[in-house]
Amino acid sequence: MTENLPLAHDPKKDPFSNPLVLGRSSQEFLDAAETQIDVANYPGTFYAEVGGREIFAQLTKNFYSSVAEDEDFRRMYPEKELRAAQVRLQLFLEQYWGGPTTFSEHRGHPRLRMRHANYPVNGHYRDVWLGHMDKAIDQLELPMLQAETLRDYFERAAHSLLNTPDEHRNLL
């Protein structure tokens, strides 16, 4: 009788397989967030202007550190560890702001609304998310224009992801 040993990469249990990892393992995706990137290869981009990978890695680290301290909001993240979520956000933001296209190479088109469809995003959770992101941006101590550029983007993106109505309570 042969024993069923787990595969090194089981897509049914792989948090990156929703929808799927394109041709590379989750570990390669995680490792990609650690490689050195020369911002000189991305001239004229906001990515290069703010400092590249280092800034986006710190932004997402700050954000998920704040989320980890928020017991209620932390439940929105089903993964035991937040590192994978941090890397996904970091690589997405790097690509969005003109840096490497690692996110799409591994995960396909960002499809933000589709990827967030299974999570109840209402006004309350949008505001909580934005509060954690504002705190993360503040910790970077970027020049005001750069910080406000990030805030503007996150505000618009968070509003676009609303998919659950807020509960209305009649207080009268």
Side-chain angles (χ1 to χ4, degrees):
M1 179 173 205
T2 60
E3 183 177 336
N4 289 337
L5 297 175
L7 299 173
H9 176 74
D10 183 353
K12 292 179 184 167
K13 295 181 179 176
D14 183 346
F16 295 115
S17 292
N18 188 4
L20 67 117
V21 176
L22 300 176
R24 296 184 177 137
S25 74
S26 295
Q27 189 58 52
E28 286 176 294
F29 185 74
L30 290 170
D31 292 344
E34 302 288 331
T35 61
Q36 294 293 324
I37 301 291
D38 184 357
V39 295
N41 293 330
Y42 304 93
T45 65
F46 186 77
Y47 175 80
E49 181 184 321
V50 297
R53 173 155 288 166
E54 180 181 325
I55 291 299
F56 290 102
Q58 190 61 53
L59 174 65
T60 56
K61 181 180 178 184
N62 294 349
F63 174 77
Y64 281 105
S65 292
S66 182
V67 167
E69 296 171 1
D70 183 337
E71 190 175 312
D72 178 53
F73 191 67
R74 172 64 176 88
R75 291 194 303 256
M76 293 285 282
Y77 294 85
E79 297 163 312
K80 198 174 201 178
E81 298 292 325
L82 292 172
R83 175 73 179 133
Q86 178 185 332
V87 168
R88 288 190 302 268
L89 181 58
Q90 174 192 330
L91 295 180
F92 165 74
L93 291 173
E94 287 182 16
Q95 179 174 309
Y96 179 84
W97 292 105
T101 58
T102 311
F103 182 90
S104 287
E105 291 166 12
H106 283 266
R107 304 221 353 127
H109 189 280
R111 298 183 298 248
L112 289 180
R113 287 192 53 82
M114 181 210 69
R115 292 182 194 269
H116 291 84
N118 293 330
Y119 301 95
V121 182
N122 62 20
H124 169 74
Y125 285 124
R126 175 206 58 214
D127 293 346
V128 171
W129 191 95
L130 285 169
H132 289 294
M133 188 53 75
D134 281 343
K135 179 179 173 183
I137 292 168
D138 287 343
Q139 291 170 333
L140 293 176
E141 298 181 355
L142 292 170
M144 186 172 62
L145 181 57
Q146 292 174 352
E148 291 308 312
T149 298
L150 287 171
R151 281 190 177 87
D152 178 65
Y153 165 73
F154 288 125
E155 181 82 20
R156 288 181 291 110
H159 281 277
S160 77
L161 296 176
L162 288 170
N163 61 19
T164 304
D166 290 324
E167 290 183 35
H168 297 285
R169 295 186 180 140
N170 187 348
L171 300 175
L172 297 176

